Amino acid sequence: MAKLGKISGGDLVFKTLTGVCAAAVLVIMAGLFYELFRLSWPSIQKFGLSFFTRNEWNPVTQDFGALSSIWGTLVSTAIAMIIAIPLSLVIALFLVELAPPIIAKPVGYAIELLAAIPSIIYGMWGLFVFAPYMAEHVQPFLSERLGFIPLFTGPPIGIGMLSAGIILALMILPFVAAVMRDVFQMVPPMLKESAFGMGSTTWEVTAKVTVRYGIVGLVGASFLGLGRAIGETMAVTFVIGNDHSLSLGLFNPANTIASTLANEFAEASEPMYLSSLVELGLVLLLLTFVVQSLAQLWLRSINKGMGA
Amino acid sequence: MKKVILIALIALIAGAALAAGITLNGAGASFPYPLYSKWAYLYEQKTQVKLNYQSIGSGGGIAQIKARTVDFGASDAPLKKEELDAAGLAQFPMTMGGVVPVINLAGVATGQLKLTGAVLADIFLGKIVSWDDPAIVKLNPGVKIPKQKIVVVHRADGSGTTWIFTNYLAKVSPEWQKSVGSDKAVSWPTGIAGKGNEGVAAYVKQVPGAIGYVEYAYAIENKINYVSLQNQAGKFVKPGIDTFQAAAANADWQNAPGFYMVLTDQPGDKSWPITGASFILIYKDQADFSRAKEMLKFFDWCLKNGGETAKGLHYVPLPANLVTLVQAMWAKDIKAGGKPLWP
């Protein structure tokens, strides 16, 4: 006990306790990976790599290939990011740089409120309000004008990949915008005022000073949004159509890993079916892991570039 | 003062826990869920015995009773005798109902559109894609069918309702039997999928030209247009208590091992072709005598006194002779620690 020297009594307890909690996080993560691996092992053995390359989801013949789920996850997330990130950036810039406080404050509160709405509400709104709107106005218009592009083909029923992607975008937009706004608010006023003092226009200050200063935070916010969009379940399940088919047309129904798990897990009774579903879960976990690692690497390289 | 309040609170909670009767736990099919919850409510008012029923689907019900986390499981897909014996389970029917195809087609009145089983199968196979297809028009002379694309809606989750529906399609369409088959979840050739009977109903109501299948009560309560189907005798019938009962009347329950009975495509002029029973699964060897006795008393009350409630919710109560058979099975097979539990 004497070896521990200066740490003793309450400090020792505190250090041990916090250390144990931190270690618990690692243990839980390792346990998660282990359990998912163990339960999906029969499916991994049976299907191997073809699980990722085939599109076949047949509970009757117990033949499973998850291509449509993986594709759906990636495409719906991509649509959400393409729509949400530029919009969030613009909204955050507006709120911090351009809006007078009388507008900025209420809009800021509204954004935070939107970010807190449970995702199932978005799903219900999507099903009852948004999908009919898409079916009646947006999709026929897009088929007419842009129907020659294979992306804009499919039955215009309002329920499909595009609607799911847009609902996801609406879900992550307030969240990402709120984080980006906080990032911009942390830019030291001194920096901006120095730039203004040298005669820069508002645009030059915004693009070259504010955004550049906050780029690390912006990238971080985007990846937070990406992480949320990849695993989003209920909002997507309501409007994506839950069909295990693969097609380029965005109006066609599709499915994501999360929606498949939500729909089919409770009822799956055959061991191979369950094992394949757990393997899907493992794929989603690995996907999230890879995305987060890429984010960390990218952030690190930006920091290095900025001499941090 | 604080101590007094604390003691009072503990006494209150303890008292409440003791005063309450036991709570039975069940899980399974969503098909009979509205009925079971109504029965549980009425029974609790009489006897203080509560029921906690989780509508997680037939597959979930079977899994949970096998895992012994619930007192009874509920499934629309009956288990075969071998599976029952292997798990030590007893099975009996509790109620019957019908699965109805529902449509969203402008200009056609409820129950007006006539379809045959073969045409229905072709629609769900994706071979008939438009409502004004000659096969449909031929069956409906004089009905003004709009030119509209058919949007097939089916279940996203595994379900006993799907089991009953695909069982019927497999019987009337050899191609369906070969290419899709019959199970709680299948690989649907076409269409969008909704979660639960509620999800399918919502999609069919939303999407013009849609066709789906739901349990009868959902079609009535949500006021969705349903179709008339041609039964085995060649007559076109509308879904309803009388046509469900007609389908169930011919079933030979006496000779069904483990009460395994499928009621689709039954003979009879008035039979509705997509009828099904919903079953309860309990262990033959019960662990707790008094708890098991309460459970059987609940089922007995439902079977004997729950008929009017069932009809009010558009389910078919079991006929009296079937109730006698079920209770004879209880007397013979259900025991706790070697002692028979019934009567």
Side-chain angles (χ1 to χ4, degrees):
Chain A
M1 261 330 216
K3 224 172 110 179
L4 287 157
K6 298 196 181 76
I7 313 167
S8 63
D11 269 351
L12 180 62
V13 172
F14 183 64
K15 197 166 183 188
T16 321
L17 206 60
T18 49
V20 165
C21 290
V25 172
L26 289 174
V27 168
I28 290 173
M29 204 175 82
L32 205 62
F33 269 106
Y34 172 70
E35 268 302 302
L36 284 178
F37 235 116
R38 187 180 68 91
L39 287 169
S40 61
W41 186 243
S43 171
I44 297 175
Q45 265 187 318
K46 180 166 176 202
F47 299 115
L49 276 176
S50 77
F51 192 74
F52 301 97
T53 52
R54 276 184 322 133
N55 179 32
E56 175 74 46
W57 199 260
N58 196 331
V60 177
T61 59
Q62 299 283 294
D63 188 24
F64 300 107
L67 189 60
S68 65
S69 306
I70 300 174
W71 171 257
T73 306
L74 293 173
V75 171
S76 60
T77 308
I79 298 173
M81 294 294 281
I82 291 173
I83 298 175
I85 301 301
L87 276 180
S88 306
L89 189 62
V90 168
I91 290 175
L93 280 174
F94 175 76
L95 284 178
V96 175
E97 298 289 318
L98 300 168
I102 201 169
I103 299 181
K105 266 211 155 93
V107 176
Y109 285 142
I111 293 227
E112 278 166 25
L113 194 68
L114 274 177
I117 293 182
S119 61
I120 197 163
I121 307 288
Y122 279 102
M124 285 174 60
W125 176 81
L127 179 62
F128 292 122
V129 178
F130 188 68
Y133 179 74
M134 286 288 282
E136 274 164 49
H137 302 285
V138 180
Q139 282 179 347
F141 174 75
L142 284 174
S143 316
E144 245 179 278
R145 298 303 163 95
L146 300 171
F148 56 89
I149 308 176
L151 274 181
F152 295 107
T153 54
I157 51 178
I159 289 165
M161 183 80 87
L162 185 63
S163 302
I166 297 179
I167 294 281
L168 269 181
L170 289 175
M171 267 191 60
I172 65 177
L173 183 89
F175 180 65
V176 177
V179 178
M180 285 187 178
R181 185 196 59 169
D182 291 340
V183 168
F184 289 143
Q185 274 173 344
M186 286 199 324
V187 176
M190 185 78 88
L191 269 170
K192 292 197 279 193
E193 281 163 23
S194 320
F196 277 123
M198 292 201 293
S200 314
T201 62
T202 314
W203 166 248
E204 281 172 347
V205 171
T206 306
K208 298 195 179 135
V209 177
T210 312
V211 174
R212 276 186 83 182
Y213 187 89
I215 192 80
V216 172
L218 296 183
V219 168
S222 310
F223 273 101
L224 278 175
L226 176 64
R228 193 164 171 202
I230 263 191
E232 186 46 53
T233 312
M234 281 328 280
V236 172
T237 306
F238 272 91
V239 292
I240 201 169
N242 303 308
D243 187 31
H244 284 278
S245 64
L246 200 58
S247 61
L248 211 50
L250 291 178
F251 298 165
N252 284 314
N255 72 324
T256 64
I257 296 179
S259 76
T260 302
L261 286 173
N263 282 322
E264 301 181 22
F265 202 81
E267 277 269 357
S269 35
E270 303 90 345
M272 190 53 68
Y273 194 5
L274 266 174
S275 183
S276 298
L277 285 171
V278 176
E279 193 177 346
L280 263 185
L282 183 63
V283 169
L284 188 60
L285 185 62
L286 286 172
L287 210 61
T288 316
F289 201 66
V290 164
V291 161
Q292 286 302 317
S293 310
L294 282 176
Q296 294 297 325
L297 285 171
W298 191 359
L299 285 173
R300 202 167 299 179
S301 77
I302 296 178
N303 269 328
K304 258 199 220 142
M306 286 172 49
Chain B
M1 191 58 206
K2 266 200 208 161
K3 252 200 197 151
V4 175
I5 295 178
L6 192 64
I7 293 175
L9 207 62
I10 294 175
L12 194 69
I13 296 173
L18 285 172
I22 63 163
T23 302
L24 297 168
N25 293 311
S30 62
F31 180 94
Y33 173 58
L35 180 59
Y36 291 170
S37 33
K38 188 79 188 279
W39 274 343
Y41 172 71
L42 293 171
Y43 192 68
E44 185 188 339
Q45 292 190 315
K46 254 181 43 111
T47 63
Q48 296 297 312
V49 172
K50 291 201 253 294
L51 172 68
N52 170 27
Y53 183 79
Q54 298 296 316
S55 163
I56 57 176
S58 302
I62 297 172
Q64 293 311 311
I65 186 69
K66 281 189 178 169
R68 293 182 186 263
T69 56
V70 288
D71 296 306
F72 68 89
S75 167
D76 305 329
L79 297 182
K80 295 226 169 76
K81 187 95 179 21
E82 306 83 56
E83 204 178 339
L84 289 171
D85 287 340
L89 289 169
Q91 170 175 268
F92 58 92
M94 195 67 175
T95 184
M96 296 185 273
V99 176
V100 309
V102 285
I103 60 174
N104 181 335
L105 199 57
V108 175
T110 301
Q112 190 186 21
L113 194 74
K114 295 197 173 78
L115 293 175
T116 63
V119 167
L120 191 63
D122 280 344
I123 292 176
F124 275 84
L125 278 168
K127 288 170 66 181
I128 298 182
V129 293
S130 178
W131 282 109
D132 60 347
D133 189 283
I136 301 179
V137 173
K138 196 169 66 146
L139 294 169
N140 293 281
V143 178
K144 202 165 176 346
I145 302 182
K147 186 175 168 57
Q148 178 122 50
K149 273 224 171 90
I150 300 184
V151 178
V152 169
V153 182
H154 53 80
R155 290 285 288 268
D157 46 336
S159 130
T161 313
T162 300
W163 191 93
I164 297 174
F165 187 66
T166 52
N167 181 290
Y168 170 68
L169 289 182
K171 278 187 179 164
V172 296
S173 166
E175 187 175 347
W176 182 273
Q177 166 71 20
K178 198 166 56 110
S179 59
V180 184
S182 156
D183 202 345
K184 296 197 292 287
V186 298
S187 175
W188 297 91
T190 178
I192 58 178
K195 191 166 171 52
N197 271 305
E198 315 80 18
V200 172
Y203 276 168
V204 170
K205 281 189 88 167
Q206 288 263 79
V207 179
I211 180 169
Y213 60 92
V214 292
E215 200 273 313
Y216 182 61
Y218 288 89
I220 296 294
E221 297 299 327
N222 290 302
K223 300 193 184 30
I224 318 180
N225 192 339
Y226 51 75
V227 305
S228 298
L229 276 183
Q230 188 181 49
N231 60 19
Q232 209 191 70
K235 303 269 188 297
F236 286 95
V237 288
K238 292 204 183 126
I241 302 274
D242 47 343
T243 50
F244 302 157
Q245 269 174 330
N250 296 310
D252 183 11
W253 291 98
Q254 187 95 24
N255 293 320
F259 288 106
Y260 181 93
M261 180 70 67
V262 181
L263 292 171
T264 53
D265 204 30
Q266 290 290 312
D269 274 0
K270 291 183 66 189
S271 302
W272 175 254
I274 325 180
T275 312
S278 193
F279 299 85
I280 299 283
L281 298 159
I282 56 176
Y283 276 97
K284 285 197 183 139
D285 191 17
Q286 292 286 327
D288 183 334
F289 188 90
S290 52
R291 196 179 173 80
K293 191 70 194 254
E294 287 299 327
M295 185 168 67
L296 287 182
K297 276 167 50 185
F298 170 66
F299 291 141
D300 174 58
W301 181 88
C302 295
L303 289 172
K304 294 228 179 79
N305 305 64
E308 283 314 304
T309 314
K311 284 202 185 143
L313 287 172
H314 317 291
Y315 291 89
V316 178
L318 298 192
N321 53 354
L322 182 52
V323 174
T324 317
L325 282 174
V326 167
Q327 301 200 314
M329 186 275 280
W330 291 352
K332 191 164 81 84
D333 287 337
I334 316 294
K335 297 188 173 41
K339 279 195 316 177
L341 269 166
W342 195 262

